[in-house]
Amino acid sequence: MKTYIALLRGINVSGQKLIKMDALRKALTELDFENVSTYIQSGNILFQSKTDDVKKLEKLIHDLIEKHFGFDVSVIVVTPQDLVDTMKSNPFANDHIELPQPYVSFLSDVPTNENTAILKAIDFQKDRFEIVGKNLYIHYADGAGQTKLSNAVIEKKLKLTSTARNWKTVLKLIELAEAIK
């Protein structure tokens, strides 16, 4: 059994796409996952599966959520090693910034150079970002709630699915994944 983390986009945010975590965990038992747990209400699912195909897992979870809860929710599945690699690749590591910074947008694929250039051409004032593989690291100068570098802008310009987590959440997900190995 391999350990995975499913990152759901846009659930339980501002009263939208409300899903109770206990109901989600119960629904996921239909997929023959083991050791299913969730972390906070924003859609972080830890589980084990015999399946090696991440894209298949994303589709299974997406379809299950749509069936049980009626929501079209983007799902990005990563491994604990992916999260460790995300941590090691942090381009802001030497900036001595305080948690919860930076934020990481997990992308559904590596963005094209053309789409990356389109995003980089936008003036986000003091907010900074760097793309490393399938991750977009963001340092919000005045907090995530005050930025024009929103998930919607990221998805529109990069033409990819994206879901963001703060650094504190990434570190906690690594810790929780290690506990279920």
Side-chain angles (χ1 to χ4, degrees), residues 72-84:
D72 180 16
V73 173
S74 297
V75 179
I76 294 179
V77 174
V78 296
T79 67
Q81 187 61 51
D82 292 335
L83 293 182
V84 169

Side-chain angles (χ1 to χ4, degrees), residues 1 27-34 36 48-50:
M1 298 292 273
L28 287 166
T29 62
E30 290 179 22
L31 299 178
D32 292 326
F33 292 168
E34 293 185 17
V36 176
Q48 291 182 310
S49 174
K50 293 177 184 172

Side-chain angles (χ1 to χ4, degrees), residues 33 37 41 48 58-59 69-70 74 94 103 115 124-125 154 162:
F33 292 168
S37 63
Q41 297 296 312
Q48 291 182 310
E58 290 171 350
K59 179 157 179 36
F69 305 101
S74 297
N94 296 324
Y103 283 69
N115 292 341
F124 293 110
Q125 294 155 10
I154 291 166
S162 169

Side-chain angles (χ1 to χ4, degrees), residues 12-168:
N12 299 334
V13 177
S14 303
Q16 302 296 311
K17 297 183 181 178
L18 298 175
I19 300 176
K20 295 209 180 281
M21 293 298 102
D22 57 344
L24 179 59
R25 286 189 301 273
K26 184 177 178 186
L28 287 166
T29 62
E30 290 179 22
L31 299 178
D32 292 326
F33 292 168
E34 293 185 17
N35 298 313
V36 176
S37 63
T38 54
Y39 174 66
I40 61 178
Q41 297 296 312
S42 61
N44 304 289
I45 307 163
L46 296 103
F47 64 97
Q48 291 182 310
S49 174
K50 293 177 184 172
T51 304
D52 286 334
D53 186 341
V54 171
K55 293 297 180 191
K56 180 178 179 182
L57 291 169
E58 290 171 350
K59 179 157 179 36
L60 286 169
I61 295 167
H62 170 273
D63 292 350
L64 180 118
I65 291 170
E66 196 165 53
K67 172 185 162 188
H68 279 270
F69 305 101
F71 303 129
D72 180 16
V73 173
S74 297
V75 179
I76 294 179
V77 174
V78 296
T79 67
Q81 187 61 51
D82 292 335
L83 293 182
V84 169
D85 293 344
T86 295
M87 187 177 72
K88 290 179 180 176
S89 298
N90 176 8
F92 301 116
N94 296 324
D95 290 359
H96 306 292
I97 53 182
E98 299 293 322
L99 288 178
Q101 299 279 5
Y103 283 69
V104 180
S105 284
F106 294 89
L107 306 173
S108 57
D109 207 343
V110 176
T112 65
N113 290 337
E114 179 183 348
N115 292 341
T116 298
I118 291 168
L119 186 64
K120 286 185 174 184
I122 300 170
D123 180 9
F124 293 110
Q125 294 155 10
K126 296 184 287 182
D127 294 337
R128 300 180 292 148
F129 70 90
E130 293 290 333
I131 298 173
V132 179
K134 290 173 55 173
N135 295 326
L136 188 145
Y137 297 83
I138 306 167
H139 179 265
Y140 294 119
D142 297 317
Q146 306 298 318
T147 187
K148 292 182 181 181
L149 182 55
S150 67
N151 202 58
V153 169
I154 291 166
E155 288 187 328
K156 183 177 180 182
K157 300 304 180 188
L158 294 181
K159 297 183 176 148
L160 297 170
T161 300
S162 169
T163 186
R165 298 296 184 273
N166 68 38
W167 203 244
K168 186 175 179 180

